[in-house]
Amino acid sequence: MRLGYTEVAGPPAELQRDFAKDGLESSFTLIDRDHLGRIVVAGGPWAGTPWPQDLLDGGPGGLGGLSCPVVAPRAQSEIKRMMPVWDPSLPRREKEQVDIALLERHSGA
């Protein structure tokens, strides 16, 4: 893989892509827009399901000259809280509780 990253098996590739390098995992959830312009799940068993309305209200971000919208902390917190409810097969991990606390502390939620 380029730049030393290795793809990690996970959710369906049309839904999310996961990569690892030096023990750090990075996940990229793919999104789409429906006929109403809402941001929705791009693929997999939940394709077309709307994400939180304010998903990309985190402001602009950038990396290496590329610009992209950023996931809003409130939306990320909601997703981390709800994923085990939306998909009961997912484990409840301590990491998610730590992430939620950090998101809330830095977003004023």
Side-chain angles (χ1 to χ4, degrees):
M1 197 89 214
R2 283 183 61 174
L3 303 174
Y5 286 87
T6 303
E7 190 157 5
V8 177
E14 66 273 13
L15 174 66
Q16 178 175 312
R17 306 297 295 270
D18 298 335
F19 300 91
K21 178 180 179 181
D22 300 330
L24 177 65
E25 288 190 23
S26 298
S27 297
F28 299 88
T29 299
L30 306 178
I31 60 173
D32 200 357
R33 289 198 184 263
D34 67 9
H35 68 283
L36 299 174
R38 296 177 300 182
I39 299 168
V40 297
V41 175
W46 302 281
T49 303
W51 282 107
Q53 189 172 7
D54 63 345
L55 180 72
L56 298 179
D57 288 354
L63 181 64
L66 297 174
S67 178
C68 65
V70 173
V71 174
R74 194 221 58 80
Q76 184 66 60
S77 179
E78 176 184 345
I79 292 165
K80 285 184 171 287
R81 263 198 206 86
M82 294 303 298
M83 283 308 291
V85 174
W86 297 332
D87 184 354
S89 70
L90 295 174
R92 293 188 178 266
R93 303 182 305 173
E94 173 139 353
K95 175 195 179 312
E96 306 308 335
Q97 295 307 311
V98 171
D99 289 350
I100 290 167
L102 286 168
L103 285 162
E104 290 177 351
R105 184 169 67 226
H106 292 290
S107 69

